[in-house]
Each structure stands twice: as structure tokens, then as C-alpha cells.
Amino acid sequence: MQNRKMSFKEVVGRAIAVGVMLGSASFAQATQIPGSVIVPLIVAGDPNGVPPDSPDNRIDPNVSSSKFSGVVSLYITYPENGVQQGFICSGALVGKRQVVSAGHCVDTNGNGKYVDLKAPGQSISVVFNSDGDYNRIIRASSFAVHSDYQGFNNCPDGSRGCVNDDVAVVTLSADAPASAKIYKVAVNPLTSGQRIIMAGYGTSGDGIDGHYVSPDFAIKRSGENYIDLLEGDDEQDFGGKAEVYYADFDGGGKDTWCTYAGVCTPKLANDVEAGIGGGDSGGPSFVEMYGELMLVANNTFGGYLAGAPQGAFGSYFGGMIMSGYTDFLLEATGGNISLVPEPASAALLGLGSLMALGARRRRKPSSK
């Protein structure tokens, strides 16, 4: 959960002791890497590496031709003890009025106390930078959070160590600008070794010094990584369909999941490999399919090892896999979302019936 008492441009995480160990069939159950902490949250490589890298090198231009023109920032405001609070998150446009983000982005205390859009001083503003900086800012009219989300890192039994179900859909009060790309959602299963493309407006820095650049509503960065581990449904004792992915920020001789779980995916070039930071929460992870970017996950948490700068090489991160939440996405968007493959095709490919998911998973979107 981000610290709302900080300025919205100084988003930091609340440290929670947790980690990950490998389970069966390449799935992971949240337990513990000794000395690690996890926080809800695009960090660059080594400034002296080959090729050299820096946060400025990762900035994407705010133009309509950008493949990230539909990646938005969110400004969430609410009062706390008589003082107005504000913070930043990221998201991806999936319909003319629908944005996928993280559940904890609309949760003011990390335990399911949501922003009340009908109350004075409480709002969600979605910032588009699809045709220049701040080319459109649209207030949210409602939002829905997955019913199994019980607060950041909370398990169904009330214990800690479950990052699942942290997904939300924000509905806009007006259509998004035509310059903003609307992303389709790929619902094919992800696997260890899958390459992903990330984008967000959050805290940045580099692999040596960690986080030192504040988030900004008009500056989005991008990077890539490989998925290392997958985690199943926490309501099914971490079995069933994968809901969470984990990746690590390799470099400087550090490869966290190779060391702690024996999962050794490739390291990307110094100016490509990336991690995430506070304010990237809710931002997208994409895969390229059929010549376009398709949303496969949102990015919701990051972890780092004790004694190392937060966000430096060796840190890890992850988010919610969209194919694990297709029933919620269909309901929360009112069907105003494009799934690839289409549900009928998904069944033929052995991905299971999307309708069957409705009987297995509780659905109680929370609209404010």
C-alpha cells in the first residue's frame, strides 16, 4: 500500500515481510525469501553498463503514434484526518471508457476501504498523455474491484502473504480521446520464460542506486523482462489457474529467482531489462501478438532484499495475470472489452470455458 501521507509525487511503499518459494509445476506460493520485503508499487539498468542506461532513456514520447498512448496515469484523492491526500497509479485503456488498474489503487488503507466517489474531496482522475502532456483529464464515474481482493497482501483466512486478486476496472465519465490506443486483452496462459513489455508512470532510478526519480503524471517509461514464476488461486490453496506472475530485475551479478528458486530465465540487454517502482501500480504488462501490444497482466507489487537499495538489481516484482480474471473483466466492463482469443476460441484451445469461471469464482464488483 502506498503511503498516502506523502506528496503524490513521492509515492513510497509500506514494507511487508514476505517472499516466494517454488511450488509444483512452476507455480509459486507466497512464503519467504529470507530478509526480503514486498511493497505495492520502471527502473533502468546500469548507468555505466554496456550500453549505458538511465531513467531518461526509458521515457516514452507522449504522441498518438506511440504504442503506449493508451497507458494512463491515475490521480486518486481523499481526505484523511482532515487533510487532503493524493497519490498516483498507472493503468491501461481497454475500452472507450474502461481502464484496468490495481485494486489497491482505489483502496485508501490497504484493507478494502475504497474511495467514495460520491463524497466531497474524493475522486479518481484519469490522465491521458496520448497527444501531448495532459491532453485530456477525465474523472471516473465508478470503479469495480475484484470481490476476492481483501486488501493488499491479505489472504482469504486473514493472514498475510497473498498478493492475488489485486485488480480493478475504472469507468470514465466520458469517452477517452481518440488518440489513445485501446488495448485488447490476451487470455492465453502465461508461462515461465514469457517475455513481457511494461509501462508506467512510477518511481524510477537505476540498477545500481535503486529508486531516486519521483513519479510524474505526464512521464511514462517502459522496459522489458521475463516472467520467472507463476502463482495459482489463493482461494484454491494456490492451485487452479495462474493468477499472479513474478519476475526479477537481473544485473550486477544478481538473478534472484535463479538463486532462490532455481528458475533462471534470460537476462535482457542493459538498456532493455527493467523493474518497477511506486506509482507503476496498476500499469500494464504486454505481450506482442499479431503485430500489436496486448494486455496480459497489471503490475501491482515489488520486492527487494534487505540491505540492497529498493529497486536495484536483484529486486523482484509482479502482478495479476488477466487470463485469471476474465470473468471479472467481462462483468466490470459490461462486455466492453476485446479478449484474444475470443471465448469460443479459448475453449477450443483447451483454455476452458469462460462461463465456467463464473461458477467457480465469486463476483461482487464494488462500485462507488
Side-chain angles (χ1 to χ4, degrees), residues 294-345:
M294 296 193 185
L295 182 67
V296 293
N298 67 355
N299 306 318
T300 61
F301 64 90
Y304 60 99
L305 303 180
Q310 185 172 344
F313 289 135
S315 60
Y316 60 93
F317 62 93
M320 307 301 106
I321 301 170
M322 294 296 102
S323 62
Y325 299 98
T326 48
D327 56 335
F328 166 74
L329 294 173
L330 285 167
E331 184 175 29
T333 62
N336 294 309
I337 190 171
S338 295
L339 303 180
V340 179
E342 295 292 337
S345 300

Side-chain angles (χ1 to χ4, degrees), residues 25 31 68 96 177-178 181-182 197 210 225 227 251 295 342 363 365:
T31 118
F68 302 117
K96 287 185 178 180
K181 182 174 179 56
I182 296 175
I197 303 167
N225 213 299
I227 290 174
L295 182 67
E342 295 292 337
R363 297 176 300 179

Side-chain angles (χ1 to χ4, degrees), residues 91-326:
L93 187 69
V94 296
K96 287 185 178 180
R97 295 196 179 193
Q98 292 79 30
V99 170
V100 170
S101 189
H104 77 259
C105 287
V106 296
D107 178 0
T108 64
N109 69 353
N111 287 298
K113 182 181 178 182
Y114 299 120
V115 175
D116 184 352
L117 297 182
K118 296 179 181 179
Q122 303 195 45
S123 66
I124 302 171
S125 298
V126 178
V127 180
F128 290 88
N129 301 289
S130 54
D131 189 15
D133 296 0
Y134 303 100
N135 62 288
R136 188 81 185 275
I137 301 175
I138 303 175
R139 285 285 184 95
S141 59
S142 64
F143 61 84
V145 179
H146 195 278
S147 61
D148 288 339
Y149 171 79
Q150 302 297 323
F152 184 78
N153 204 39
N154 291 337
C155 296
D157 63 2
S159 63
R160 305 290 278 170
C162 303
V163 294
N164 304 56
D165 311 314
D166 193 354
V167 59
V169 171
V170 175
T171 299
L172 307 176
S173 59
D175 287 356
S179 53
K181 182 174 179 56
I182 296 175
Y183 299 104
K184 298 172 184 175
V185 177
V187 297
N188 49 305
L190 296 181
T191 60
S192 178
Q194 171 73 57
R195 187 165 172 170
I196 54 173
I197 303 167
M198 309 167 295
Y201 290 82
T203 305
S204 191
D206 61 54
I208 304 302
D209 296 319
H211 296 155
Y212 57 86
V213 178
S214 296
D216 192 296
F217 292 106
I219 298 178
K220 63 178 177 287
R221 294 177 171 88
S222 64
E224 301 182 31
N225 213 299
Y226 284 98
I227 290 174
D228 292 297
L229 303 175
L230 302 172
E231 181 174 271
D233 188 346
D234 55 340
E235 278 76 38
Q236 295 190 47
D237 196 24
F238 298 96
K241 181 175 285 189
E243 291 187 339
V244 181
Y245 86 88
Y246 292 84
D248 55 21
F249 186 21
D250 296 335
K254 296 184 174 73
D255 187 338
T256 296
W257 295 126
C258 187
T259 299
Y260 288 97
V263 179
C264 306
T265 55
K267 176 183 178 296
L268 291 163
N270 186 59
D271 59 347
V272 177
E273 180 99 12
I276 65 172
D280 288 322
S281 282
S285 278
F286 298 110
V287 296
E288 191 161 6
M289 296 173 59
Y290 310 115
E292 60 181 300
L293 294 184
M294 296 193 185
L295 182 67
V296 293
N298 67 355
N299 306 318
T300 61
F301 64 90
Y304 60 99
L305 303 180
Q310 185 172 344
F313 289 135
S315 60
Y316 60 93
F317 62 93
M320 307 301 106
I321 301 170
M322 294 296 102
S323 62
Y325 299 98
T326 48

